[in-house]
Amino acid sequence: MLKWLHWGIIPFFIWFLFADPDALRRMGPGWFQLHSINGLIFVTLALIWTGSHLQKGLASRPGPKLPPVARRVHPILHKVLIWGLFLVAPGGFGLGLTSAVVLHAGGFLPIAPPLNLPQAHAIVSWLHIYQFYALALIVLAHAAFHIWRHVSLRDNALRIMAPRALHRFL
């Protein structure tokens, strides 16, 4: 299940790195609807991942080839990533709560009752954007960590999580 979550969330993460809601609105309602649907799917996957973590803990352990410093970094990096993904959901809730109108995730699920707080909405919007870019840095650190493990330590860390079709390239 973790492999599916891991690889399933990546396209949505990339979408939100580059999608600009204002530009999407100008492109037409269909594009903003797609953005909203992507947001609902992304948050659902993030909440499933967080729930799985709360129920079972981390799915991986530091590998035997990791040096002591990397052994300490491994669980911290993964927990920060999981909780960073989770925090996207309360950020979206804050957007809905401070909005002037009811926002619907996926076009049908009301996010929160709108309190019409324009100044708070501007602050929450700013925080939500930068929260996501901070998460992007964590994702880059996560990817770099596992690429380093694969290249330097040759511990097959990437093969464990990569789809079988990619194994011949690793």
Side-chain angles (χ1 to χ4, degrees):
M1 180 183 93
L2 184 61
K3 256 190 206 188
W4 283 99
L5 280 172
H6 189 270
W7 292 101
I9 208 166
I10 289 173
F12 298 102
F13 187 80
I14 292 169
W15 170 270
F16 287 106
L17 277 178
F18 298 107
D20 176 15
D22 294 329
L24 292 171
R25 274 190 205 95
R26 289 190 298 273
M27 291 169 64
W31 284 100
F32 195 74
Q33 177 71 14
L34 176 62
H35 185 69
S36 180
I37 291 168
N38 285 346
L40 180 59
I41 295 169
F42 180 84
V43 167
T44 301
L45 293 175
L47 293 176
I48 290 170
W49 201 331
T50 305
S52 173
H53 169 66
L54 289 173
Q55 183 181 25
K56 300 175 185 176
L58 286 178
S60 63
R61 308 180 304 281
K65 292 184 178 182
L66 284 178
V69 172
R71 284 180 165 274
R72 286 190 298 274
V73 168
H74 181 274
I76 294 168
L77 180 61
H78 286 80
K79 287 176 185 175
V80 168
L81 180 60
I82 292 166
W83 287 104
L85 285 167
F86 169 77
L87 288 174
V88 171
F93 177 78
L95 286 173
L97 192 63
T98 58
S99 177
V101 297
V102 177
L103 300 179
H104 293 86
F108 67 91
L109 182 66
I111 295 174
L115 299 178
N116 193 16
L117 303 169
Q119 289 177 325
H121 188 74
I123 292 168
V124 171
S125 294
W126 184 87
L127 287 172
H128 192 59
I129 290 167
Y130 286 97
Q131 162 198 36
F132 202 82
Y133 288 121
L135 181 59
L137 292 175
I138 295 164
V139 168
L140 283 174
H142 175 82
F145 179 78
H146 286 290
I147 291 168
W148 167 77
R149 286 179 68 175
H150 185 75
V151 172
S152 293
L153 301 179
R154 299 190 183 281
D155 71 351
N156 284 329
L158 289 182
R159 289 186 122 216
I160 293 167
M161 286 304 294
R164 192 171 301 278
L166 297 177
H167 284 197
R168 65 180 172 198
F169 303 111
L170 297 174

